[in-house]
Amino acid sequence: MEMTVNARDQEQHGLGLGLSLSLSIATAHPVEPPPQRAISVAPISSHPAPPMPPQPQWWSGAGLFFSHSSGTDRSLERKQQPAALAACHGHEMPFLRGIDVNRAPAGEARRGSCSEDEEPAASSPNSTLSSLSGKRAAATRSGELEGDHTPRAGGGSDDEDSGAGGGSRKKLRLSKDQAAVLEESFKEHNTLNPKQKAALAKQLNLKPRQVEVWFQNRRARTKLKQTEVDCEFLKRCCETLTEENRRLQREVAELRALKLIAPHQYARMPPPTTLTMCPSCERLATADEAARPAPTGPWGPVPVRPVFVDGPARRS
DNA sequence: GACAACCACAGGATTACATCA
DNA sequence: TGTGATGTAATCCTGTGGTTG
């Protein structure tokens, strides 16, 4: 079961970009990434290989956080929820401590415990909401259904939220502490199971839905950033190959000229080695090497695409 | 075992708000 | 102070996989 989930995650996180050059190598093994290798451009080349950032922790962290199930093993989680939620208050998340939260007033109509927070209506508003889109969505926006707005300390009340024409959607800004904890959690595991979600929500005084949304957006940002990194990487690959191609063409021209000028000397030279450029690993290989099967790639070590590591740049 | 209905959750696209230069 | 740019929380929609009857 977990394999299925992971396979799906691989597919989804593996950048369905159609960037097939060397990306597939890295994306095919997100759970257990191959060791970083420098890109070995042609042995005779003097061009520096494109820089390659290290891989993020979460990339290889799938399934490690709550080891009883993968992040999306819902069936198991659903069965385990009552007991799990009873014991979910941060026990398995050592980093969830001492969070100074921008909390709504204590009297606010929030369901306190994480088990209570996992009520059906809030657990997956999307699935049900989407099928009821029109009215229900509008109702949600105006705070009728979930009261999903969690104002910051001193912020507006629910009354204020729904007051402005009913269609306003107040936007909570997470505090630095909250964002830091979420970020830390994301590094550990880029998806959440209900236990984790509830624990985080409880600890941060957010709604599980908010934690869920944050993770969704965070995954989207990571993927976007990764796409940018990939584009940059491919651009550099292209430049490198173009330059290499120019150089080889110059070399060919020089050799031809030499053949015309001194045909006798040229005849005594050893036969030229046939060089072939591997399109995926950017190594040059002789015809012999190319014919030989290699253990790790067509002609040797396989380069790993750069992977985005840091969080998105923030203005401050 | 095959099937349909349902549920939960993921990603992608988009909107709307908050903040900053 | 007004404004455009940017970041991001939140929403909507759709697809997928698991469970259940």
Side-chain angles (χ1 to χ4, degrees):
Chain A
M1 191 184 300
E2 186 163 344
M3 284 181 63
T4 309
V5 169
N6 285 340
R8 183 186 170 201
D9 284 348
Q10 285 182 21
E11 183 185 318
Q12 288 175 338
H13 296 155
L15 304 174
L17 298 175
L19 303 177
S20 61
L21 186 56
S22 61
L23 305 185
S24 58
I25 293 152
T27 55
H29 306 283
V31 173
E32 200 172 333
Q36 285 284 332
R37 296 189 191 91
I39 294 176
S40 55
V41 185
I44 57 174
S45 170
S46 59
H47 303 298
M52 298 201 305
Q55 302 202 358
Q57 292 176 359
W58 62 263
W59 193 261
S60 58
L64 295 179
F65 200 58
F66 279 73
S67 58
H68 75 278
S69 69
S70 68
T72 48
D73 192 348
R74 274 96 59 184
S75 61
L76 182 57
E77 286 155 6
R78 255 175 275 159
K79 286 172 190 166
Q80 292 181 338
Q81 258 185 23
L85 293 173
C88 71
H89 293 199
H91 292 152
E92 292 167 81
M93 297 185 175
F95 53 85
L96 298 177
R97 286 199 200 103
I99 307 301
D100 185 16
V101 189
N102 50 356
R103 219 9 282 138
E108 184 128 14
R110 290 277 315 283
R111 299 170 197 87
S113 76
C114 59
S115 55
E116 288 167 340
D117 247 340
E118 281 291 301
E119 85 283 330
S123 62
S124 180
N126 280 350
S127 59
T128 46
L129 273 178
S130 59
S131 55
L132 297 167
S133 54
K135 274 190 215 167
R136 173 90 188 246
T140 302
R141 269 193 296 274
S142 64
E144 287 177 28
L145 287 168
E146 296 186 36
D148 214 1
H149 309 312
T150 308
R152 279 202 252 195
S157 66
D158 281 343
D159 290 339
E160 285 174 331
D161 292 347
S162 57
S168 74
R169 117 169 107 164
K170 266 284 186 291
K171 188 169 165 178
L172 161 82
R173 198 81 182 181
L174 299 179
S175 72
K176 283 181 181 176
D177 287 339
Q178 287 172 318
V181 171
L182 288 166
E183 200 68 48
E184 198 61 34
S185 177
F186 186 82
K187 282 182 189 169
E188 293 288 329
H189 209 244
N190 73 328
T191 56
L192 289 177
N193 62 33
K195 273 174 66 182
Q196 293 170 285
K197 194 200 305 177
L200 262 178
K202 167 82 177 172
Q203 199 68 27
L204 298 175
N205 273 319
L206 296 171
K207 295 202 168 207
R209 172 66 181 156
Q210 288 177 294
V211 174
E212 183 181 316
V213 164
W214 188 92
F215 268 74
Q216 280 173 11
N217 288 319
R218 185 66 178 80
R219 283 192 294 270
R221 286 197 295 274
T222 301
K223 185 171 182 180
L224 183 66
K225 207 70 192 173
Q226 182 64 59
T227 302
E228 290 172 5
V229 170
D230 286 340
C231 281
E232 191 59 33
F233 175 68
L234 290 176
K235 226 164 78 182
R236 291 184 191 187
C237 285
C238 185
E239 286 167 4
T240 301
L241 289 174
T242 303
E243 181 55 35
E244 189 67 19
N245 190 32
R246 280 200 209 99
R247 197 191 61 75
L248 288 171
Q249 283 181 357
R250 279 199 304 271
E251 205 173 305
V252 166
E254 286 169 12
L255 288 172
R256 283 189 176 139
L258 186 64
K259 187 180 179 181
L260 287 176
I261 292 169
H264 299 302
Q265 282 184 355
Y266 185 83
R268 282 201 296 273
M269 287 173 68
T273 305
T274 305
L275 295 176
T276 315
M277 174 71 83
C278 169
S280 67
C281 69
E282 298 184 11
R283 266 194 69 212
L284 285 181
T286 64
D288 287 350
E289 281 179 325
R292 222 181 301 135
T296 53
W299 300 321
V302 175
V304 180
R305 72 173 170 134
V307 177
F308 165 69
V309 179
D310 296 322
R314 295 170 188 277
R315 291 186 308 166
S316 61

